[in-house]
Amino acid sequence: MAWAGLVTKILLVIICSVGGYLIAGQIERFAAVSWAPWAGVAVGFSFAIIAIWLVKFIRRIPLKALIGGTLGLLVGLLIAQLISYGFISVENTTIRVATYVVLVCIFGYVGMVLGSIKIEELGWPHWGWLHRGVTKGGTLKILDTSVIIDGRIVDIVEAGFLEGVLVVPEFVLQELQHIADSTDSSRRVRGRRGLDMLKKLQESELAEVRIERQDFDHLQEVDAKLVALALRLNASIVTNDYNLSKVAEVQGIRVLNINKLANALRPVVLPGEVLRLHILKEGKEQGQGIAYLEDGTMVVVENAASLLGQEVEASVTSILQTTGGRMIFTTLKSSEQGRRH
């Protein structure tokens, strides 16, 4: 997909450059000028770059804003045309043309800007599909601050398990910037990591990242604003915040929790299964040793406190699922075998 986009851009640049060369060479006024075709190449190349930039810019604009802006532009041009009829009687052609151009620029610009803004106020039923979060890749997915800082969202997108439009609210960007500017070094590192992860998402062509400028001034908490935005756009929320997940689910919002996904992808461990573990530290209870699986799951091994730094075989007795993750309880399969290690 990325290669296809790159090839298309290269072809566009080549075609525009060659077209500029041929057109400039055929214009009689410049035919005798040796450098004219090369100036045509430069102009064609410039138009290609502008077109690529416009596509990159426009793809981040919500569909309803594009439609509203287009309708506003058409209305503005129509008003300019009607007003210009009053200047038909003016004999001076230069004044008449200049007046028409000025009117078109003024009313076209005002109509486009007002149309893109005021379309939010339309409440007609047949405009509802513009406000729903349904896109070609599925529902709109709003990213919260925690999931951006976490960074696993980048790997999930690159693996192809999350596609479509990823919405980053402007108030989340502001929170990231506030964290990155913190005087606390750990918070500053987390904030800068979040900004780096967001940059990687924007550079990835597997998902579209859209900056949503809607805000809710009457709400103070970022989580409350996320819920309000999700309800307005009928979008999902991608997070690893347990409390935000519960609040959003209560209000009927679909939540994609990265921690739940990580738990679902962990290897299945069944009671009675034998694990080979490396005892790293003592547990809270007397005699317990603590080990970890490759995915970070904590394993409590009974009667293994004296085997720190050793490798043992332990049999799974029970599995406890908590809000913070999964804990596995085991007993030594053979204490003597563990001591030999």
Side-chain angles (χ1 to χ4, degrees):
M1 191 69 180
W3 282 105
L6 179 61
V7 170
T8 303
K9 293 174 183 176
I10 293 174
L11 287 176
L12 177 64
V13 170
I14 293 174
I15 291 172
C16 289
S17 301
V18 173
Y21 180 90
L22 296 176
I23 292 172
Q26 295 300 316
I27 297 177
E28 295 182 2
R29 185 182 301 176
F30 302 110
V33 182
S34 60
W35 51 263
W38 300 110
V41 171
V43 173
F45 179 83
S46 300
F47 274 110
I49 297 301
I50 292 173
I52 293 172
W53 179 83
L54 282 175
V55 169
K56 187 176 181 179
F57 173 75
I58 292 174
R59 68 185 295 185
R60 297 180 182 178
I61 301 176
L63 177 61
K64 57 180 179 293
L66 285 175
I67 294 178
T70 303
L71 293 176
L73 176 61
L74 293 176
V75 172
L77 294 178
L78 178 60
I79 294 174
Q81 182 69 31
L82 293 175
I83 295 177
S84 67
Y85 286 144
F87 296 88
I88 293 179
S89 58
V90 178
E91 295 181 0
N92 191 313
T93 304
T94 302
I95 294 177
R96 189 166 63 248
V97 172
T99 303
Y100 178 72
V101 171
V102 171
L103 289 173
V104 165
C105 291
I106 292 175
F107 286 97
Y109 174 76
V110 172
M112 181 175 62
V113 173
L114 290 181
S116 62
I117 296 174
K118 292 299 182 179
I119 195 172
E120 294 283 352
E121 300 177 7
L122 292 178
W124 304 334
H126 58 276
W127 285 94
W129 62 277
L130 291 177
H131 296 273
R132 295 192 188 117
V134 179
T135 64
K136 185 177 180 180
T139 59
L140 294 174
K141 302 169 184 69
I142 302 175
L143 306 185
D144 81 331
T145 310
S146 64
V147 82
I148 296 175
I149 293 175
D150 179 279
R152 288 177 292 178
I153 185 72
V154 177
D155 296 328
I156 294 173
V157 169
E158 290 179 349
F161 287 100
L162 194 63
E163 57 182 6
V165 179
L166 304 180
V167 179
V168 180
E170 193 169 28
F171 52 81
V172 168
L173 276 178
Q174 292 173 356
E175 185 180 34
L176 278 174
Q177 184 178 359
H178 179 71
I179 296 173
D181 293 336
S182 173
T183 55
D184 184 274
S185 59
S186 61
R187 281 176 56 83
R188 189 164 59 247
V189 169
R190 293 176 68 248
R192 291 176 180 175
R193 170 180 168 80
L195 294 174
D196 290 340
M197 293 299 105
L198 186 56
K199 183 64 176 177
K200 287 184 179 180
L201 278 178
Q202 288 180 317
E203 292 174 350
S204 172
E205 294 192 5
L206 296 176
E208 176 186 348
V209 178
R210 177 189 302 170
I211 305 300
E212 181 59 58
R213 316 234 175 244
Q214 294 187 56
D215 203 345
F216 303 86
D217 295 331
H218 62 286
L219 299 175
Q220 299 298 322
E221 297 293 330
V222 172
D223 286 358
K225 292 184 177 184
L226 284 168
V227 171
L229 182 61
L231 289 172
R232 176 173 291 185
L233 298 179
N234 192 24
S236 304
I237 294 179
V238 184
T239 182
N240 57 14
D241 187 317
Y242 177 79
N243 293 326
L244 175 59
S245 297
K246 290 304 178 184
V247 171
E249 288 172 354
V250 166
Q251 300 198 42
I253 299 170
R254 185 185 177 205
V255 177
L256 304 178
N257 193 309
I258 300 299
N259 287 337
K260 284 186 177 181
L261 176 62
N263 289 334
L265 294 176
R266 286 177 175 173
V268 177
V269 179
L270 301 175
E273 186 173 346
V274 177
L275 303 176
R276 195 168 187 84
L277 304 167
H278 186 78
I279 307 300
L280 297 176
K281 60 181 181 180
E282 294 185 8
K284 291 183 178 180
E285 303 296 331
Q286 186 176 2
Q288 288 181 342
I290 301 297
Y292 293 91
L293 299 182
E294 290 183 357
D295 63 358
T297 301
M298 187 172 74
V299 182
V300 179
V301 185
E302 298 294 339
N303 302 318
S306 60
L307 303 176
L308 294 181
Q310 299 185 36
E311 201 170 78
V312 301
E313 289 186 342
S315 178
V316 177
T317 56
S318 62
I319 302 168
L320 177 63
Q321 186 67 46
T322 67
T323 56
R326 185 176 55 164
M327 291 179 61
I328 300 175
F329 293 88
T330 64
T331 57
L332 288 175
K333 183 181 178 184
S334 172
S335 298
E336 294 181 359
Q337 184 181 14
R339 290 188 179 92
R340 284 200 302 271
H341 288 284

